[in-house]
mmCIF file of all heavy atoms in Angstrom:
data_model
loop_
_atom_site.group_PDB
_atom_site.id
_atom_site.type_symbol
_atom_site.label_atom_id
_atom_site.label_comp_id
_atom_site.label_asym_id
_atom_site.label_seq_id
_atom_site.Cartn_x
_atom_site.Cartn_y
_atom_site.Cartn_z
ATOM 1 N N ALA A 252 0.015 4.637 15.747
ATOM 2 C CA ALA A 252 -0.369 6.033 15.411
ATOM 3 C C ALA A 252 -1.807 6.284 15.682
ATOM 4 O O ALA A 252 -2.125 7.349 16.232
ATOM 5 C CB ALA A 252 -0.123 6.212 13.977
ATOM 6 N N GLY A 253 -2.635 5.362 15.420
ATOM 7 C CA GLY A 253 -4.108 5.578 15.620
ATOM 8 C C GLY A 253 -4.511 5.610 17.061
ATOM 9 O O GLY A 253 -5.173 6.380 17.438
ATOM 10 N N VAL A 254 -3.768 4.766 17.940
ATOM 11 C CA VAL A 254 -4.077 4.710 19.200
ATOM 12 C C VAL A 254 -3.486 5.989 20.013
ATOM 13 O O VAL A 254 -4.287 6.643 20.780
ATOM 14 C CB VAL A 254 -3.567 3.462 19.957
ATOM 15 C CG1 VAL A 254 -3.649 3.521 21.419
ATOM 16 C CG2 VAL A 254 -4.276 2.330 19.382
ATOM 17 N N ILE A 255 -2.291 6.441 19.597
ATOM 18 C CA ILE A 255 -1.637 7.482 20.321
ATOM 19 C C ILE A 255 -2.212 8.889 19.856
ATOM 20 O O ILE A 255 -2.422 9.810 20.722
ATOM 21 C CB ILE A 255 -0.131 7.479 20.055
ATOM 22 C CG1 ILE A 255 0.444 6.166 20.791
ATOM 23 C CG2 ILE A 255 0.610 8.617 20.685
ATOM 24 C CD1 ILE A 255 1.947 5.884 20.436
ATOM 25 N N VAL A 256 -2.306 9.020 18.573
ATOM 26 C CA VAL A 256 -2.606 10.369 18.072
ATOM 27 C C VAL A 256 -4.135 10.639 18.136
ATOM 28 O O VAL A 256 -4.655 11.666 18.377
ATOM 29 C CB VAL A 256 -2.118 10.567 16.651
ATOM 30 C CG1 VAL A 256 -2.472 12.011 16.089
ATOM 31 C CG2 VAL A 256 -0.532 10.416 16.673
ATOM 32 N N LEU A 257 -4.914 9.576 17.647
ATOM 33 C CA LEU A 257 -6.403 9.753 17.492
ATOM 34 C C LEU A 257 -7.180 9.125 18.688
ATOM 35 O O LEU A 257 -8.379 9.196 18.613
ATOM 36 C CB LEU A 257 -6.917 9.173 16.162
ATOM 37 C CG LEU A 257 -6.284 9.832 14.895
ATOM 38 C CD1 LEU A 257 -6.797 9.104 13.672
ATOM 39 C CD2 LEU A 257 -6.576 11.360 14.795
ATOM 40 N N ASP A 258 -6.410 8.564 19.562
ATOM 41 C CA ASP A 258 -7.083 7.935 20.833
ATOM 42 C C ASP A 258 -8.047 6.867 20.386
ATOM 43 O O ASP A 258 -9.221 6.696 20.967
ATOM 44 C CB ASP A 258 -7.831 9.012 21.559
ATOM 45 C CG ASP A 258 -8.180 8.621 22.952
ATOM 46 O OD1 ASP A 258 -7.466 7.646 23.522
ATOM 47 O OD2 ASP A 258 -9.150 9.105 23.583
ATOM 48 N N GLU A 259 -7.682 6.049 19.300
ATOM 49 C CA GLU A 259 -8.529 5.021 18.857
ATOM 50 C C GLU A 259 -8.380 3.851 19.813
ATOM 51 O O GLU A 259 -7.328 3.696 20.480
ATOM 52 C CB GLU A 259 -8.128 4.582 17.454
ATOM 53 C CG GLU A 259 -8.473 5.663 16.476
ATOM 54 C CD GLU A 259 -8.018 5.289 15.037
ATOM 55 O OE1 GLU A 259 -7.210 4.281 14.777
ATOM 56 O OE2 GLU A 259 -8.401 5.908 14.019
ATOM 57 N N PRO A 260 -9.348 2.975 19.952
ATOM 58 C CA PRO A 260 -9.314 1.868 20.946
ATOM 59 C C PRO A 260 -8.314 0.850 20.677
ATOM 60 O O PRO A 260 -8.048 0.525 19.415
ATOM 61 C CB PRO A 260 -10.737 1.304 20.844
ATOM 62 C CG PRO A 260 -11.203 1.667 19.468
ATOM 63 C CD PRO A 260 -10.710 3.033 19.199
ATOM 64 N N LEU A 261 -7.687 0.362 21.612
ATOM 65 C CA LEU A 261 -6.755 -0.771 21.472
ATOM 66 C C LEU A 261 -7.273 -1.946 22.251
ATOM 67 O O LEU A 261 -7.396 -1.915 23.444
ATOM 68 C CB LEU A 261 -5.385 -0.413 22.054
ATOM 69 C CG LEU A 261 -4.343 -1.503 21.997
ATOM 70 C CD1 LEU A 261 -4.044 -2.039 20.648
ATOM 71 C CD2 LEU A 261 -2.974 -1.074 22.768
ATOM 72 N N THR A 262 -7.697 -2.979 21.481
ATOM 73 C CA THR A 262 -8.304 -4.158 22.218
ATOM 74 C C THR A 262 -7.429 -5.383 22.016
ATOM 75 O O THR A 262 -6.563 -5.422 21.229
ATOM 76 C CB THR A 262 -9.681 -4.507 21.488
ATOM 77 O OG1 THR A 262 -9.383 -4.909 20.186
ATOM 78 C CG2 THR A 262 -10.458 -3.152 21.413
ATOM 79 N N PRO A 263 -7.697 -6.404 22.892
ATOM 80 C CA PRO A 263 -6.974 -7.595 22.780
ATOM 81 C C PRO A 263 -7.143 -8.246 21.244
ATOM 82 O O PRO A 263 -6.226 -8.916 20.829
ATOM 83 C CB PRO A 263 -7.652 -8.524 23.771
ATOM 84 C CG PRO A 263 -8.142 -7.631 24.772
ATOM 85 C CD PRO A 263 -8.648 -6.454 24.049
#
Side-chain angles (χ1 to χ4, degrees):
V254 171
I255 295 172
V256 179
L257 298 180
D258 198 26
E259 294 177 345
L261 175 62
T262 69

